[in-house]
Amino acid sequence: MSVPFADLLSMHREIADELDQIWGVVLERSSFIGGPYLDVFEEQWAEYCEVEHAVGVANGTDALRLTLEALGVGPGDEVIVPTNTFIATAAAVATVGATPVFVDVDPKTLLLTPQHVADAVTQRTAAVIPVHLYGQPVDMPAIVEVARRAGIAVIEDAAQAHGARWKGQRAGSFGDAACFSFYPGKNLGALGDGGAVVTNDAPLAERVRQLSNHGRGPDRYLHQVVGGNSRLDGLQAGILTLKLRRLDAWNEARRTAANAYRNLLSGLPVDLTEQRPEAESVFHLFVVQAPGRDELMNALAAAEIGAGLHYPVPCHLQPAFAGPTQPRLPVAEDAARRILSLPMFPHITENQIESTVNAIERHMLGLSEASVA
Ligand SMILES: *Cc1c(COP(=O)(O)O)cnc(C)c1O
């Protein structure tokens, strides 16, 4: 049985009729930028995230960039970033002229820890960006405490953690602000690009909104600051409002799949990413670590099972950032050679999970397909 790495079509088939209706309404109203769907989505997304304000923007990278800009982070400032993340976390920092200071991650969760933050703070540190990577929240209360003591801002990168919780509280509601991506493959995905900034800080939300809409204030003909254009389309907002109703069920399906993997993989020589008891992950990705990862990935490809790498080159070693001044970050560097993301999506079946684990088992036991059959 072939197993795709992800399956967006099954989600969209489930809501095909409602999706059609939204397109009809947007066309009828001709409200393509902004409009009622955007207002409704921003209100509902803020409520879902248990915060006061949400501002729709063009993508997750802009959400980070605009938040940094709105907080006044710029040239001369350092921003602490875990090296095990998608490049956009670090690129957003560099784009505003600040310096990403890369730190290592915990070997079991592969996430940023409070100690990493405390050790990296200097006179120049302006902010830290904890990343809830793979869908598991980091220990936010402890990181916020370190940040408060150091007097630095906390921006959550929640692009992989829509709906995740730490001790019952939503990822995205702990920091000064949190940034989401609605890239189609995320747990809540648009049918194109999209993003949002959420925060309890009303002036900060207003600054992000201004920067994302040509620097406009309440009077649309007065441009208060030099801004740009990074808005969430009305159509995408409508689609996201519709898909938001399914998000909890789809996240639950991902957790069920993760449990099935956990049971079936026990006893095999692959290490699971540790789940902290305080964390309720939404399993954007299901990442394991295995020796001989490249051979294992080839074996899965031969069995027509999609697997991914998140991420094979840590940010501090990426050509865009590498150089003699970068530190050695051994945990992330070692993990990058061992990590493998297995197929994970809400509609994955027991059979698909079993096929994936069977293919891993066959490879690990060094048995050929023929001798098993
Ligand atoms: C996807 C992602 C982003 C960027 O989001 P885009 O919408 O693709 O710009 C940022 N950080 C993390 C951790 C991501 O996974």
Side-chain angles (χ1 to χ4, degrees):
M1 176 195 287
S2 80
V3 184
F5 178 65
D7 172 11
L8 302 184
L9 185 57
S10 292
M11 274 190 266
H12 298 138
R13 279 207 179 111
E14 203 182 299
I15 54 173
D17 292 345
E18 295 152 285
L19 280 174
D20 279 351
Q21 273 174 24
I22 287 180
W23 173 235
V25 171
V26 169
L27 207 56
E28 199 63 36
R29 289 176 177 154
S30 293
S31 59
F32 301 109
I33 304 292
Y37 275 136
L38 180 65
D39 297 340
V40 169
F41 177 68
E42 286 179 341
E43 199 182 309
Q44 292 190 7
W45 186 239
E47 193 184 324
Y48 183 86
C49 294
E50 300 170 356
V51 298
E52 294 292 319
H53 310 280
V55 181
V57 296
N59 55 64
T61 310
D62 276 2
L64 290 161
R65 177 179 62 80
L66 293 165
T67 302
L68 287 160
E69 214 178 313
L71 285 167
V73 177
D77 291 330
E78 294 177 353
V79 177
I80 300 167
V81 173
T83 193
N84 185 36
T85 181
F86 181 55
I87 192 77
T89 318
V93 173
T95 305
V96 300
T99 304
V101 172
F102 295 110
V103 298
D104 216 340
V105 291
D106 179 80
K108 297 219 168 81
T109 62
L110 303 179
L111 300 176
L112 183 71
T113 70
Q115 196 58 49
H116 289 119
V117 182
D119 291 347
V121 169
T122 72
Q123 290 294 329
R124 296 179 149 220
T125 309
V128 55
I129 309 183
V131 184
H132 308 308
L133 203 68
Y134 311 145
Q136 177 170 210
V138 305
D139 181 351
M140 283 308 299
I143 285 179
V144 167
E145 200 186 307
V146 171
R148 292 290 170 260
R149 256 190 318 221
I152 64 173
V154 180
I155 305 167
E156 294 172 69
D157 182 339
Q160 302 191 0
H162 314 72
R165 293 178 187 273
W166 178 269
K167 285 193 179 173
Q169 187 180 336
R170 287 270 193 233
S173 65
F174 291 90
D176 295 287
C179 300
F180 288 91
S181 164
F182 305 120
Y183 177 82
K186 309 288 182 178
N187 288 40
L188 180 62
L191 304 188
D193 276 315
V197 177
V198 303
T199 179
N200 286 317
D201 180 338
L204 180 63
E206 198 43 47
R207 279 200 297 281
V208 170
R209 196 179 288 288
Q210 279 189 1
L211 291 170
S212 71
N213 191 18
H214 303 296
R216 281 194 176 109
D219 181 335
R220 68 176 274 118
Y221 296 109
L222 288 180
H223 305 272
Q224 306 291 339
V225 293
V226 176
N229 178 354
S230 179
R231 299 176 298 216
L232 181 63
D233 287 351
L235 178 63
Q236 300 301 350
I239 289 160
L240 289 166
T241 306
L242 170 58
K243 290 179 78 175
L244 177 54
R245 292 188 217 139
R246 297 287 209 287
L247 179 59
D248 284 341
W250 285 341
N251 280 343
E252 193 53 40
R254 287 173 184 267
R255 277 191 287 269
T256 302
N259 279 332
Y261 269 127
R262 196 183 317 279
N263 292 334
L264 291 169
L265 285 167
S266 71
L268 292 181
V270 297
D271 295 326
L272 304 179
T273 306
E274 185 179 279
Q275 300 297 311
R276 295 282 304 268
E278 303 92 333
E280 188 178 288
S281 176
V282 290
F283 293 98
H284 174 60
L285 296 167
F286 191 83
V287 175
V288 299
Q289 295 189 51
R293 187 272 315 279
D294 291 339
E295 291 75 29
L296 173 57
M297 197 170 176
N298 290 340
L300 290 179
E304 292 182 42
I305 289 163
L309 301 175
H310 301 88
Y311 294 89
V313 180
C315 290
H316 71 289
L317 299 180
Q318 288 287 350
F321 292 111
T325 57
Q326 292 296 356
R328 279 223 53 215
L329 301 172
V331 174
E333 289 171 27
D334 181 53
R337 288 187 284 272
R338 293 165 44 85
I339 44 165
L340 187 66
S341 308
L342 301 182
M344 171 55 81
F345 47 92
H347 293 79
I348 194 168
T349 64
E350 287 265 355
N351 277 343
Q352 288 176 316
I353 294 169
E354 278 169 20
S355 294
T356 303
V357 175
N358 287 344
I360 295 171
E361 191 167 9
R362 276 200 303 274
H363 172 75
M364 289 291 183
L365 298 177
L367 297 176
S368 70
E369 299 258 7
S371 69
V372 174

